[in-house]
Amino acid sequence: MKSIITENGLTFKDLEKKIYAWVCQIGQEFTREFLERYDQILMKERDKEKYRHKGTRQTTVKTVYGEVTYERVVYQLTEEDGPKRFVYLLDETLELGRVGLVSTNLAQLLVKGITELSYRGCAEEASRLTGQTISAMGVWNVVQALGERVCEEEKALVEDYKKGHVHGEKEAPVLFEEADGVYVNLQEGRRRAGKKAGKKGKKKAEIKVGIAYDGWKRTGNGRYELADKVVVAGISGTREFQEYREASIAKRFNLDEVGQRILNGDGAAWIRKVKDESTCFQLDPFHRNQAVRKKVHDRRAVEAIMELLERERLEGLFEYLEIYKNSLWEEDEIQEAEELIRYYRENREGLVPYQSRGLELPEHPEGLEYKGMGTMENHVWSVIARRMKHNHSSWSRRGGNHLAKILAKKCSGRLYEVTEPLRRPVFEEGKVEELYGEILMSAKAPKRDGKGYEYPAIGHMVGLEGKVSGDRRKLLSMAGF
């Protein structure tokens, strides 16, 4: 192989690229042949009185191995008491209208890529892998179409939940829940930010994020992961978010069997609204401690407040905070101390961790443990912020909402659900096998008869018939043709 590559002036990298392009061309031509033959089957089996043949039209579908251009029949559809319209039976069979002229496998590739890369970066990577040109706007269109479908499925799930039709199979004696929000920049103009006149900032929208799980599973020495994690996210109002959050949890867990629900949050007003009276609320440890470090500027005071929090001495905590506030002279520091006191008073019940509330928690399931809560900040980063908050990114409300929901699906380990509706079988198995055989047999061309073996080829697909030159001649020669 080394001598062949050297003699022909090819590196293995070049050889690999050329063979890959060649194989992709075979796939494109085979797909074109298959689709056109299947369209002929649909034409013969159609209701001729309803579908009137009006010729053929050409179109192109993007696949993971390149663009496939094919001809299909257009029909004039005549229905009783209805206007006439034109349809393509093949396109309706393929359900190409769901995400545009993009194959299911390519849609899956784009969805996976967009969770890590920008639209432009995703388009460039997909173009490189598939040997075709995919624009950033093309990726955006696919993601919006799929995101819209996810939103429709969410609404349907909420309606089923309200009717009492959603019942998860997983039984969890204790259900741990966390909620938080992250602000992202919007593309909808600019507004005044802050209280200082003249200071401008981008308009922002809050993406709400919710997580539910039934415990911690040990994965190694001192390492744990959340068990049966359900993640939801979106740009929405409190009521809408709460309804979908509850429906998603109910889809996974049997809520009738949950003995105790515990909610961890930063104390925002919308988070306090999503809990009911039976839910134990805990102020997120990260935000609880962060508030002290932001609002208190004396190091010794910070240490004293943190110690009182750790020892769960709430009366002493509020007495100390009042003394600290009264000792200040600067107006800004006094205001910050008052904000800290108000924040703690509004979330007083949550200052003590759930483990110290005297709750009679049911025994945890085998293989799980109950630990201290506070994973939300890490999840906000991994689910939303890492992809959507930085790199000068800005979003439309619709586009940001769609991507947030796709990212939540990924974090839940259910990214496949975004393109799952596209995976429904559209070709009849018997006809597929018949067409496979016809295409392969019609293209089979034995090169060496009587030698105990033969080299089948797809005749008109890759230029094995007719004039062969250039790189293709080199590749064919190396392959023994």
Side-chain angles (χ1 to χ4, degrees), residues 49-52 54 75-79 82-87 92:
E49 294 184 359
K50 184 177 181 180
Y51 296 97
R52 184 180 177 185
K54 302 297 288 184
Y75 303 93
Q76 180 177 289
L77 175 61
T78 303
E79 296 178 321
K84 295 180 179 179
R85 59 190 178 92
F86 294 95
V87 298
E92 289 186 353

Side-chain angles (χ1 to χ4, degrees), residues 154 158 180 205-209 232-246 269-271 273-274 397 401 405:
E154 289 183 0
V158 170
D180 202 353
E206 183 182 30
I207 298 179
K208 296 179 174 65
V209 184
V232 297
I235 301 175
S236 59
T238 301
R239 181 177 178 180
E240 179 185 351
F241 178 77
Q242 169 64 356
E243 288 177 344
Y244 175 58
R245 188 181 76 96
E246 282 294 304
W270 70 266
I271 294 178
K273 290 179 181 179
V274 303
R397 286 185 177 274
N401 184 48
K405 293 185 180 301

Side-chain angles (χ1 to χ4, degrees), residues 30 37 431-443:
F30 190 99
R37 292 193 183 211
K431 293 177 181 178
V432 169
E433 293 179 356
E434 181 180 345
L435 287 178
Y436 277 171
E438 288 180 5
I439 296 172
L440 291 173
M441 289 302 294
S442 66

Side-chain angles (χ1 to χ4, degrees), residues 38 42 56 97 123 155 178 230 246 311 331 333 362 374 376 413 424:
Y38 202 90
L42 295 175
T56 61
K155 291 178 182 178
E178 304 196 32
V230 175
E246 282 294 304
R311 295 171 60 183
E331 191 64 33
E333 292 186 5
M376 199 61 219
R424 186 180 67 82

